[in-house]
Amino acid sequence: MRIPLIVANWKMNKTVPEALSFAGEFLPEVKDITGRDILIAPPFTALLSMAGMLKGSNVLLSAQDVFYEEKGAYTGQISASMLKDAGCEFVIIGHSERRQHFGETDGTVNKKTKAALKAGLKVILCIGETLDERNAGRTFEVTGAQLKEGLKEIDLSGIVIAYEPVWAIGTGVTAAPEQAEEAHSRIREDLRTLYGRQADETRILYGGSVTPENVDILMAQPDMDGALVGGASLKAVSFVRIVKYKKTGG
Ligand code: 13P
């Protein structure tokens, strides 16, 4: 049974007071929701205060990145045990913005994932093709390689996959529900090849311009196990509606 997981990825947005104000508005609206996991990934600076605010609620905390070494002379970096210590249950790894702007590779994704799991964190591992790769018909070659390399020597329990087509992130262009479903079912096939039946227990989230308007139809797809939401997660009212997506049974 795959429990749907809805994630707010705030990226480089919100000061501590802004994060706490969001939580104050958001938590009462979602407190009675059951059967769905809810996660907020604020910037590093807001993790600790958000952990205090979320304690005892049905909303969990995630970081947006981690470094793979345990400690040492790595100026500016944050280790997995530091994230655990700050109250995180999850960490997002391999987001396309990190691959694009900060030199993240499948190799570093693999190392970070191993370090996070070792520290007791769960991992949201992001994969997805660029527009050029899609237009060249290479979508599944790319996502397949990202999965295989990123997950090398890693057990699948503790892993959530996020399919985020790069061309749909922050652009207002959402993958059509059938397009997203095609990718998700193909990703699950690839996971089956690597892991057998465990693939059917693994959640695959969609990310890329998810909004209150399109979440219901996206979540109606059979292999859609949740959403990783950027822009539309920054306002409580909008993210509440996304968390409360309606089952349309499509
Ligand atoms: P947007 O929802 O702003 O397109 O961002 C998606 C994303 O990158 C979530 O991780």
Side-chain angles (χ1 to χ4, degrees):
M1 194 21 207
R2 304 191 299 262
I3 298 170
L5 171 61
I6 309 291
V7 187
N9 175 12
W10 284 350
K11 309 190 179 182
M12 197 173 73
N13 291 289
K14 294 197 191 294
T15 60
V16 172
E18 286 166 352
L20 295 179
S21 157
F22 177 106
E25 196 181 338
F26 179 73
L27 291 176
E29 294 292 330
V30 300
K31 69 177 180 7
D32 296 325
I33 293 183
T34 54
R36 288 176 192 185
D37 291 340
I38 310 167
L39 203 52
I40 297 181
F44 287 133
T45 46
L47 284 175
L48 196 56
S49 23
M50 279 295 277
M53 191 86 179
L54 300 184
K55 209 177 168 110
S57 80
N58 56 342
V59 178
L60 295 174
L61 191 64
S62 174
Q64 300 175 15
D65 185 33
V66 64
F67 190 54
Y68 47 76
E69 295 292 350
E70 281 181 26
K71 61 163 97 158
Y74 303 102
T75 302
Q77 296 298 322
I78 306 277
S79 74
S81 59
M82 290 171 183
L83 296 180
K84 188 77 186 160
D85 181 52
C88 291
E89 301 271 343
F90 281 81
V91 57
I92 298 170
I93 294 178
H95 192 282
S96 69
E97 287 151 14
R98 297 221 55 90
R99 294 179 190 257
Q100 198 179 332
H101 303 301
F102 304 102
E104 192 86 87
T105 64
D106 292 328
T108 55
V109 166
N110 182 258
K111 284 191 194 178
K112 288 179 175 190
T113 303
K114 284 177 179 159
L117 293 173
K118 191 171 163 209
L121 293 166
K122 296 190 184 85
V123 171
I124 300 174
L125 195 156
C126 302
I127 59 173
E129 81 288 2
T130 63
L131 188 57
D132 283 349
E133 288 162 345
R134 175 162 282 266
N135 289 340
R138 294 183 52 228
T139 297
F140 302 123
E141 179 197 323
V142 169
T143 55
Q146 288 171 334
L147 274 183
K148 196 161 171 223
E149 297 302 312
L151 288 171
K152 203 176 255 176
E153 298 153 6
I154 287 171
D155 182 82
L156 208 46
S157 46
I159 303 284
V160 173
I161 303 295
Y163 170 63
E164 297 206 305
V166 178
W167 46 271
I169 296 176
T171 57
V173 180
T174 321
E178 310 75 44
Q179 230 172 2
E181 172 57 23
E182 182 195 24
H184 281 222
S185 78
R186 184 60 187 266
I187 288 164
R188 202 176 303 286
E189 268 310 314
D190 286 345
L191 288 176
R192 256 186 222 118
T193 307
L194 295 170
Y195 293 96
R197 303 256 313 261
Q198 218 184 345
D200 295 297
E201 305 296 318
T202 303
R203 291 182 283 193
I204 306 175
L205 316 182
Y206 169 79
S209 300
V210 174
T211 63
E213 289 73 38
N214 61 27
V215 66
D216 296 346
I217 181 82
L218 284 165
M219 287 303 295
Q221 309 305 310
D223 282 290
M224 204 66 64
D225 304 317
L228 182 50
V229 188
S233 73
L234 292 172
K235 289 215 158 51
V237 60
S238 156
F239 193 52
V240 165
R241 173 60 184 88
I242 291 174
V243 166
K244 291 185 175 174
Y245 72 86
K246 297 186 177 69
K247 275 272 175 206
T248 58

